[in-house]
Amino acid sequence: MTTATLRVWADVLCPWRWMGHRRLAQAIAESGVPARIEHRSFLLGPDGPGPGRRRIAETAAVEWGMSPAEWGSRRDRIEQAGRADGLAIRMDTAWALDSRPAHRVLKLAAARGLDETAAWEAMFAAHLRDNLDLADWGVLAEVETGLERDEVLALGDNEEYVAEVLADHEEGQARGISSVPTVVHGDRLLAGARSVGELAEFVRAAAKAVA
């Protein structure tokens, strides 16, 4: 049976994408059809965060204009949804940061032929569970992507994969993508936080299209 290739646009900053990452893997397993994932970068903050170093809870108040009650409601909804997927998400103390360095590391991991899905999983966990500062190259070098520490540190000293990350983002915009996660096969897009059942149906349809 022909393997369907699914392209997934995502940002490591997005808690819904971490949930979608887990759900898509489960959906592929449950679909009973062969499928592979190609990861694409989509920058929720292409210009980087606002001035200053802030955690997300402070950013919600200062930059997004949310009241404590509004932010608390959103935070609780995200964290509760994460727990349902077995994920320990801590939103208040996650950093508001520029995700481009993390995406460049993930591009390098893919270029080295490492397990991209595992590398993305590690990056999600580092940001959303462990609340590490992924804007710091020394911190990025410790994330378990399969890369050697020196490889990651060297990446911080050059412009390698900067263009590739931007090209992913621009392609996503050209396809009409405005939110993550978005799963793409051919001209079909499935956007937002979807259930395992919805994702499995999408995977089966993709497999039929290439059969």
Side-chain angles (χ1 to χ4, degrees):
M1 185 180 295
T2 305
T3 299
T5 298
L6 307 173
R7 294 175 177 84
V8 182
W9 268 261
D11 195 337
V12 298
L13 302 183
C14 177
W16 297 108
R17 177 59 196 118
W18 195 14
M19 293 177 234
H21 177 85
R22 289 286 185 92
R23 292 173 190 174
L24 182 56
Q26 185 179 344
I28 291 172
E30 292 184 4
S31 71
V33 298
R36 62 183 294 271
I37 299 172
E38 289 184 356
H39 297 273
R40 297 288 186 270
S41 300
F42 191 85
L43 305 172
L44 293 176
D47 298 322
R53 300 282 294 128
R54 296 191 179 101
R55 303 280 186 169
I56 292 294
E58 184 182 1
T59 299
V62 175
E63 295 184 28
W64 303 343
M66 299 181 73
S67 70
E70 289 171 332
W71 168 245
S73 177
R74 179 181 294 187
R75 176 201 62 219
D76 292 348
R77 182 167 62 93
I78 291 170
E79 293 183 355
Q80 287 168 11
R83 285 194 291 273
D85 285 309
L87 303 174
I89 295 173
R90 299 189 301 155
M91 291 302 300
D92 278 345
T93 49
W95 286 101
L97 50 81
D98 183 351
S99 64
R100 283 173 292 187
H103 283 286
R104 290 174 61 203
V105 171
L106 292 167
K107 288 290 186 188
L108 178 59
R112 293 286 188 270
L114 301 173
D115 187 334
E116 289 184 66
T117 298
W120 274 80
E121 175 72 21
M123 203 66 77
F124 283 127
H127 175 62
L128 295 163
R129 183 194 66 200
D130 303 332
N131 296 159
L132 301 181
D133 184 359
L134 300 185
D136 184 317
W137 285 97
V139 172
L140 279 170
E142 299 298 330
V143 178
E144 295 182 2
T145 57
L147 293 166
E148 296 293 333
R149 175 180 171 82
D150 288 348
E151 289 184 285
V152 177
L153 292 177
L155 193 63
D157 293 328
N158 61 53
E159 297 298 308
E160 196 172 8
Y161 301 112
V162 169
E164 287 85 347
V165 170
L166 181 58
D168 277 2
H169 181 77
E170 291 177 343
E171 182 185 351
Q173 289 181 313
R175 286 176 173 269
I177 294 171
S178 59
S179 64
V180 294
T182 296
V183 185
V184 177
H185 182 265
D187 294 329
R188 298 184 66 235
L189 285 73
L190 190 66
R194 300 294 183 136
S195 68
V196 172
E198 288 175 302
L199 290 165
E201 183 180 347
F202 188 87
V203 172
R204 292 189 191 99
K208 287 180 181 178
V210 298

